[in-house]
Amino acid sequence: MKKNEKTNPNPEVSEMKDAILLQLQEPQALEKLYQSNKSIFKKSFHLLYPEIKENAIAAFWLARIQNEKADISWGSTKDILFLVIAIFLAGLLVKIPEWMGLETDYFLQRNIAFVILPFVAAYLAWKEKIKTSYALVAVALFLFSAIYINYLPTNENSDTLLLACIHLPLFLWAIAGFMFVGNQFNDYKKRISFLRFNGDLLVMIAIIAACGALLIAVTFGLFELIEINIQTALNHYILVWGLPAIPIVGTFLVRTNPQLVNKISPIIAKIFTPLVLVTLVIYLFAIVYTGKDPYNDRNFLLIFNVLLIGVMAIILFSVAENSKNVANKIGTLLLFCLALVTIILNGIALSAIIFRITEWGITPNRLAVLGANLLILTNLLIVSYQLLKSIKNTNRIENVEKSIASFIPFYVIWAVVVTFVFPLIFNFR
């Protein structure tokens, strides 16, 4: 058991431990506790067991938990009620353009993040039992962001508006992360847990989305056979409430049943790390072979940077997963090689951006990409250095985690600058 888990337990785990201790001699009460939330009960019991291992009842429960298959917990009645209300409200937000006569694309471009992230943040804040003052700050930031983004001048050719719409979700995601770490804001392990949570959530979203798409296809086909057109219902109701429901339900499932996907994410990380590494090496040679020029081809540079951000995300999630196993030298070596190749890609992109700025001047887009690339390069260099040290000494893998966790706020700060400062300094152009 790690020291951190003792000193900074999850609030639900802490409460469950106290309840188990209180009801340890009451079989019926203990059974009721177990049935209320099996996942939290098991985690709490394993943390508590060293203190009560001499108790015969504790020995019985240890045997029962270890030999019982993992069940899916559907949470409490309050959890289900929260889900229903959150999904209903999210769907209502999507319907606002239809009711107010607004263009759907115009509305969703600015507000898509508000359809999902406030509800995710609210759920995390509730389950983590964060301080009321923190929750009020989060509410204020969400409200301010919503008012700000919707009052930016409408200009289809505005680069700063587009940049604000792209970077605002990252800021709102950070607010959700603040709800996740809550009372343990300075604990780097909690930040890494949030990254792992996001990785698990992406896997869960993909699973739910695939199942939902299959269900819609089957339903559409069945009704088509009896010559009933459900396209209108699909567009105006099913998708409106169904799509926002996917990440909200995914958050609930990952938070309540971490065992569902926490074994899948490491497997995906292990599979994709070498595949992405090989792909990027081939890609670098292909750039040279085809003679593609990121210095003068704006679209190629844009795709190049999207690729860079995607690979950086894979590195961060892979490091977070790989750090669970300090003895995995091969995995650490692969991550180090992937980081080095990504540094080369970043160097190409960065030099191309600097070239374009010196040739054609500063624009909002170029400055935003320049800042993002400098942040990524700095983060990659730090992570690579720590990975190199951890190859020599596997006990240093924890420093890789620290280097990632400590750098997250810098990305958030840059997102805040691009979202809230760029439109002002560039006069909304």
Side-chain angles (χ1 to χ4, degrees), residues 215-237:
L215 176 62
I216 289 174
V218 171
T219 303
F220 196 85
L222 289 174
F223 276 91
E224 195 174 49
L225 287 174
I226 57 176
E227 298 182 350
I228 296 179
N229 191 345
I230 62 168
Q231 187 67 48
T232 301
L234 178 67
N235 293 338
H236 291 277
Y237 299 101

Side-chain angles (χ1 to χ4, degrees), residues 74-227:
W74 296 105
S76 63
T77 304
K78 291 181 180 179
D79 288 316
I80 302 302
L81 182 61
F82 178 93
L83 279 180
V84 172
I85 294 174
I87 293 170
F88 177 70
L89 292 177
L92 291 182
L93 290 176
V94 178
K95 298 288 281 185
I96 286 177
E98 180 181 329
W99 295 335
M100 298 186 65
L102 302 173
E103 291 184 11
T104 301
D105 291 343
Y106 165 86
F107 178 82
L108 291 181
Q109 179 189 33
R110 300 182 184 224
N111 297 281
I112 186 65
F114 294 103
V115 175
I116 299 166
L117 288 173
F119 303 107
V120 171
Y123 183 74
L124 294 175
W126 173 38
K127 302 308 289 185
E128 295 293 334
K129 293 182 171 56
I130 69 163
K131 296 177 181 178
T132 303
S133 58
Y134 290 175
L136 291 176
V137 169
V139 171
L141 289 174
F142 272 115
L143 288 175
F144 171 77
S145 300
I147 294 171
Y148 167 82
I149 199 69
N150 284 285
Y151 272 90
L152 282 179
T154 301
N155 181 356
E156 293 182 359
N157 298 318
S158 172
D159 289 335
T160 55
L161 173 60
L162 180 60
L163 286 170
C165 291
I166 292 172
H167 286 78
L168 181 61
L170 178 57
F171 173 60
L172 301 182
W173 169 82
I175 298 175
F178 180 58
M179 297 298 96
F180 186 93
V181 301
N183 305 327
Q184 304 170 46
F185 180 75
N186 293 322
D187 183 1
Y188 81 90
K189 287 185 177 293
K190 194 68 175 177
R191 295 184 189 180
I192 291 297
S193 294
F194 181 59
L195 284 182
R196 291 196 184 107
F197 168 80
N198 279 271
D200 292 343
L201 180 57
L202 288 175
V203 173
M204 181 60 73
I205 287 174
I207 293 172
I208 296 174
C211 293
L214 179 61
L215 176 62
I216 289 174
V218 171
T219 303
F220 196 85
L222 289 174
F223 276 91
E224 195 174 49
L225 287 174
I226 57 176
E227 298 182 350

Side-chain angles (χ1 to χ4, degrees), residues 185-391:
F185 180 75
N186 293 322
D187 183 1
Y188 81 90
K189 287 185 177 293
K190 194 68 175 177
R191 295 184 189 180
I192 291 297
S193 294
F194 181 59
L195 284 182
R196 291 196 184 107
F197 168 80
N198 279 271
D200 292 343
L201 180 57
L202 288 175
V203 173
M204 181 60 73
I205 287 174
I207 293 172
I208 296 174
C211 293
L214 179 61
L215 176 62
I216 289 174
V218 171
T219 303
F220 196 85
L222 289 174
F223 276 91
E224 195 174 49
L225 287 174
I226 57 176
E227 298 182 350
I228 296 179
N229 191 345
I230 62 168
Q231 187 67 48
T232 301
L234 178 67
N235 293 338
H236 291 277
Y237 299 101
I238 298 174
L239 293 180
V240 165
W241 271 275
L243 291 178
I246 293 175
I248 296 173
V249 173
T251 299
F252 161 74
L253 289 175
V254 172
R255 178 63 179 72
T256 310
N257 300 275
Q259 78 280 1
L260 288 179
V261 293
N262 63 7
K263 293 182 180 179
I264 299 176
S265 298
I267 294 173
I268 293 176
K270 288 179 181 179
I271 292 174
F272 272 87
T273 298
L275 290 178
V276 172
L277 175 59
V278 171
T279 301
L280 288 184
V281 171
I282 295 173
Y283 183 68
L284 284 172
F285 282 107
I287 292 175
V288 176
Y289 178 76
T290 58
K292 278 291 183 179
D293 181 9
Y295 293 88
N296 294 294
D297 190 334
R298 182 176 180 272
N299 292 329
F300 179 69
L301 180 59
L302 177 63
I303 296 173
F304 202 76
N305 276 279
V306 172
L307 169 68
L308 181 64
I309 294 171
V311 175
M312 184 63 187
I314 290 173
I315 291 175
L316 294 182
F317 287 125
S318 297
V319 168
E321 292 299 339
N322 190 62
S323 61
K324 294 178 182 178
N325 184 2
V326 296
N328 189 357
K329 279 193 173 183
I330 296 177
T332 305
L333 179 61
L334 285 173
L335 284 173
F336 175 70
C337 293
L338 181 58
L340 288 183
V341 174
T342 311
I343 287 173
I344 296 173
L345 285 173
N346 185 280
I348 296 172
L350 196 57
S351 62
I353 296 162
I354 294 173
F355 170 79
R356 294 178 67 83
I357 289 176
T358 54
E359 285 292 315
W360 298 295
I362 293 177
T363 65
N365 283 332
R366 289 170 194 155
L367 186 58
V369 175
L370 175 64
N373 273 265
L374 286 173
L375 282 174
I376 292 174
L377 178 60
T378 305
N379 198 2
L380 278 171
L381 290 172
I382 296 172
V383 169
S384 299
Y385 175 69
Q386 295 297 343
L387 282 170
L388 180 61
K389 291 171 68 175
S390 65
I391 292 172

